[in-house]
Amino acid sequence: EAQVTQNPRYLITVTGKKLTVTCSQNMNHEYMSWYRQDPGLGLRQIYYSMNVEVTDKGDVPEGYKVSRKEKRNFPLILESPSPNQTSLYFCASSHIGGTEAFFGQGTRLTVV
Amino acid sequence: EDQVTQSPEALRLQEGESSSLNCSYTVSGLRGLFWYRQDPGKGPEFLFTLYSAGEEKEKERLKATLTKKESFLHITAPKPEDSATYLCAVVGNAGNMLTFGGGTRLMVKP
């Protein structure tokens, strides 16, 4: 089954404690991206990757890092999480940039 | 800068009561307009891609149309299981990022 898998689904952490949210896709897609979704602000892109070792900033990259060492994986790293990063996060992949994206099930992150 | 505005923000319908959701967009050269459905606590699920004015796509009770300035998602004889948030997104010639609208939350009462 074609899918984008994120882990964990739920995470509560404390300010400043580094964390990683993993994302994996099994569709051999070149393009992967991370979004955050907040009430009243909609979906906003954090980072994207057009292929292995190629990443770039989206609209809201501050406080986040990403890496793309393998085609199927695109982890999101929060080096020093803060409460304003409490949000619902989605990973997505698509064949190439600008085409229909397939989303993971989401990771609800709470930073206290 | 690409912009997408969806209206209404929320829509309550009775089962069987047809209606339309609007997506107005501003983009420098439209490469594609996408409709997604999102259920609470889940990731958006892809519905349609439209590429040029005049294009239409259908899936069950849903029909998406596109003009040069807006897209409509028509829902014919909706059922309670159609209740969800519907998201619209565009991508322009200038880049490859999807820009999303705020969504329309649809509630269909039996």
Side-chain angles (χ1 to χ4, degrees):
Chain A
E1 181 189 354
Q3 59 185 3
V4 178
T5 303
Q6 295 178 228
N7 280 296
R9 292 289 313 280
Y10 302 92
L11 180 59
I12 301 175
T13 190
V14 296
T15 299
K17 185 177 181 182
K18 180 180 179 180
L19 67 91
T20 299
V21 184
T22 64
C23 174
S24 179
Q25 51 96 3
N26 63 0
M27 294 169 278
N28 201 36
H29 285 165
E30 291 188 356
Y31 188 93
M32 297 185 73
S33 55
W34 276 101
Y35 294 83
R36 61 179 289 172
Q37 188 173 38
D38 302 288
L41 297 176
L43 275 163
R44 295 178 293 167
Q45 193 176 59
I46 303 170
Y47 267 95
Y48 66 93
S49 169
M50 297 181 69
N51 214 324
V52 175
E53 301 291 1
V54 180
T55 63
D56 207 347
K57 297 177 181 179
D59 291 327
V60 288
E62 294 78 21
Y64 304 94
K65 283 178 57 177
V66 293
S67 68
R68 187 94 179 272
K69 293 182 169 51
E70 305 167 282
K71 196 171 187 178
R72 64 182 294 128
N73 296 324
F74 190 44
L76 179 69
I77 304 158
L78 284 72
E79 294 268 1
S80 182
S82 61
N84 65 13
Q85 292 178 298
T86 292
S87 187
L88 181 57
Y89 291 86
F90 290 103
C91 178
S93 75
S94 56
H95 177 55
I96 56 174
T99 58
E100 55 264 30
F102 296 86
F103 285 79
Q105 289 291 74
T107 296
R108 186 166 293 280
L109 172 65
T110 302
V111 184
V112 298
Chain B
E1 183 180 334
D2 300 345
Q3 289 190 328
V4 179
T5 303
Q6 291 188 246
S7 61
E9 288 187 13
L11 180 62
R12 290 176 181 267
L13 298 174
Q14 287 296 127
E15 185 173 2
E17 179 186 2
S18 301
S19 188
S20 297
L21 282 55
N22 177 263
C23 170
S24 297
Y25 64 89
T26 304
V27 65
S28 57
L30 180 71
R31 277 175 57 194
L33 184 142
F34 307 88
W35 281 99
Y36 286 85
R37 169 192 171 126
Q38 185 176 23
D39 293 300
K42 296 191 174 182
E45 176 186 344
F46 171 73
L47 292 173
F48 304 110
T49 307
L50 300 167
Y51 296 103
S52 58
E55 190 175 359
E56 299 182 352
K57 294 268 179 80
E58 283 189 69
K59 180 179 181 180
E60 296 181 356
R61 294 176 293 281
L62 301 176
K63 179 180 175 180
T65 62
L66 181 64
T67 72
K68 289 186 177 179
K69 294 182 178 180
E70 57 192 350
S71 176
F72 291 94
L73 185 65
H74 307 278
I75 302 177
T76 302
K79 298 182 178 182
E81 53 261 42
D82 294 322
S83 297
T85 295
Y86 291 85
L87 300 169
C88 173
V90 299
V91 60
N93 286 330
N96 52 33
M97 280 174 39
L98 267 64
T99 298
F100 280 86
T104 293
R105 187 159 64 96
L106 174 66
M107 294 154 282
V108 183
K109 300 291 186 182

